[in-house]
Amino acid sequence: MSRLLAVASLTLSCLLPAFVHADEKPKQIVLVSFDGAHDNALWTKSREMASRTGAHFTYFLSCTFLMNREQARAYQAPGQKPGKSNVGFAKSEDDARTRIANIWDAHLEGHDISSHACGHFDGKNWSEADWKREFMSARMALRDAWKNLGEADKEPQGWADFAVHDIKGFRAPYLSTSDGLVPAEKAMGFSYDASLVTRGPMLPQKVGDLYRFGLPLIPEGPDHRGVIGMDYNLYVRHSKGVEDKTDSKAFEDRAFSAYEAAFEKQYDGERIPLQLGFHFVEMNDGAYWRALDRFVSDACHRPDVACVSYSEAIPMIEARGRPQASGL
């Protein structure tokens, strides 16, 4: 009997760590992303912020910012005239050369380089073929960037493979989608989409092998009214989309308070991943980037917080075993 009890005790002691581990809260995931990824000064600023805080970011790149004049004239988005882009093109070939160097360095530093398509058009009426055409334009612009900018001899080893196989995520311009988007993403080999909007922080939907993430509504301002957790939406709320330098500090403080409150609710609760989106534009005199810097400087140093890219978040979410199944 004593031997049986000893064996049972040994078995229980071997199993106990697993039970303790299972009862522990998962790390709080924080996902910070940037749409556009064009201004080289903000590449520098964001990479420095990441290095200082230990964060990994996701950059949704608009491919027109890689194009020289000849490519810009030839680029044609679905339903658009050749040479048209809602966000413009690279200022110069030197500007684009600096950008592709930033892209490569950020990739080596562990950040996600993902797609924001090319000319920032509203794809709400696009077919699957339209989306695939735009995705292919983006892929080829990135793959051939060094050659097209006269720097073929400086192209890093592995660049072409990175451009074709490592761009795994997409966010639709204007967060505007159509029924053709998901089939096109699957056909192009994307593993995640970040174009949805959710009522609050939520685990991603899983559509086959594709994870679909959504920017959450977060409470903001004195009345705690929900707003999409993105700098542009705060900009529109705070100043109606008109630059207001005078009140920049007040806007910064409001944004920081909103980020912190949304984070603390999850950190102290279910620890659903928190997603926050930004643009490579410093709206209201940089209010939202300053708020971001304050936020990641506080949150990302905590030992049970993971400020990671979307690609890094997916296996962490899979380990929780609770992605939301979807028939979309």
Side-chain angles (χ1 to χ4, degrees), residues 219-241:
E220 189 276 336
D223 57 359
H224 305 290
R225 192 157 46 98
V227 65
I228 296 174
M230 197 170 217
D231 55 358
Y232 178 75
N233 302 84
L234 290 165
Y235 179 54
V236 170
R237 171 171 292 183
H238 291 166
S239 61
K240 296 181 169 44

Side-chain angles (χ1 to χ4, degrees), residues 253-319:
D253 290 342
R254 278 183 58 165
F256 174 69
S257 294
Y259 302 158
E260 283 279 289
F263 169 81
E264 295 292 351
K265 181 177 180 179
Q266 293 306 320
Y267 185 71
D268 294 335
E270 295 185 68
R271 297 206 170 173
I272 303 300
L274 176 64
Q275 301 170 64
L276 296 173
F278 298 83
H279 290 77
F280 261 33
V281 179
E282 293 187 294
M283 304 168 200
N284 278 335
D285 202 31
Y288 311 110
W289 274 66
R290 293 195 307 273
L292 169 64
D293 197 338
R294 289 167 60 185
F295 170 68
V296 295
S297 296
D298 170 43
C300 296
H301 285 303
R302 302 191 195 188
D304 50 350
V305 173
C307 294
V308 294
S309 69
Y310 280 94
S311 290
E312 292 171 318
I314 286 173
M316 298 174 69
I317 292 169
E318 287 177 338

Side-chain angles (χ1 to χ4, degrees), residues 60-322:
F60 291 104
L61 173 69
S62 297
C63 87
T64 54
F65 296 114
L66 308 177
M67 294 180 177
N68 61 23
R69 289 184 180 180
E70 182 179 352
Q71 289 176 283
R73 286 193 295 267
Y75 164 66
Q76 185 174 8
Q80 303 295 328
K81 295 179 180 179
K84 185 176 179 182
S85 164
N86 277 350
V87 289
F89 296 89
K91 296 177 182 178
S92 66
E93 290 198 352
D94 282 343
D95 175 66
R97 291 186 190 108
T98 301
R99 185 166 299 109
I100 58 175
N102 271 312
I103 289 168
W104 184 245
D105 287 342
H107 167 67
L108 295 180
E109 290 161 4
H111 303 289
D112 262 12
I113 309 300
S114 293
S115 177
H116 201 43
C118 283
H120 209 276
F121 293 104
D122 188 338
K124 65 182 177 182
N125 295 318
W126 283 5
S127 66
E128 177 183 348
D130 290 335
W131 284 109
K132 287 166 71 174
R133 173 180 166 184
E134 183 79 344
F135 290 150
M136 189 58 69
S137 293
R139 179 175 290 178
M140 295 303 98
L142 186 62
R143 185 196 68 181
D144 299 336
W146 293 85
K147 177 182 69 177
N148 290 336
L149 295 168
E151 300 277 295
D153 59 325
K154 297 180 181 178
E155 180 179 309
Q157 184 176 358
W159 174 271
D161 184 69
F162 150 74
V164 173
H165 298 113
D166 288 353
I167 310 303
K168 291 296 187 181
F170 173 70
R171 175 173 288 151
Y174 309 109
L175 303 178
S176 183
T177 64
S178 72
D179 290 343
L181 175 60
V182 168
E185 288 174 318
K186 291 182 177 181
M188 294 295 293
F190 288 109
S191 60
Y192 68 87
D193 173 273
S195 307
L196 300 178
V197 174
T198 58
R199 292 183 179 180
M202 292 178 65
L203 289 168
Q205 299 173 357
K206 193 175 184 186
V207 187
D209 292 330
L210 183 76
Y211 281 84
R212 300 196 71 191
F213 291 86
L215 288 167
L217 294 175
I218 60 174
E220 189 276 336
D223 57 359
H224 305 290
R225 192 157 46 98
V227 65
I228 296 174
M230 197 170 217
D231 55 358
Y232 178 75
N233 302 84
L234 290 165
Y235 179 54
V236 170
R237 171 171 292 183
H238 291 166
S239 61
K240 296 181 169 44
V242 177
E243 191 68 14
D244 179 355
K245 295 184 178 182
T246 302
D247 296 315
S248 180
K249 183 60 169 65
F251 298 148
E252 172 193 339
D253 290 342
R254 278 183 58 165
F256 174 69
S257 294
Y259 302 158
E260 283 279 289
F263 169 81
E264 295 292 351
K265 181 177 180 179
Q266 293 306 320
Y267 185 71
D268 294 335
E270 295 185 68
R271 297 206 170 173
I272 303 300
L274 176 64
Q275 301 170 64
L276 296 173
F278 298 83
H279 290 77
F280 261 33
V281 179
E282 293 187 294
M283 304 168 200
N284 278 335
D285 202 31
Y288 311 110
W289 274 66
R290 293 195 307 273
L292 169 64
D293 197 338
R294 289 167 60 185
F295 170 68
V296 295
S297 296
D298 170 43
C300 296
H301 285 303
R302 302 191 195 188
D304 50 350
V305 173
C307 294
V308 294
S309 69
Y310 280 94
S311 290
E312 292 171 318
I314 286 173
M316 298 174 69
I317 292 169
E318 287 177 338
R320 296 177 65 162
R322 294 196 300 134

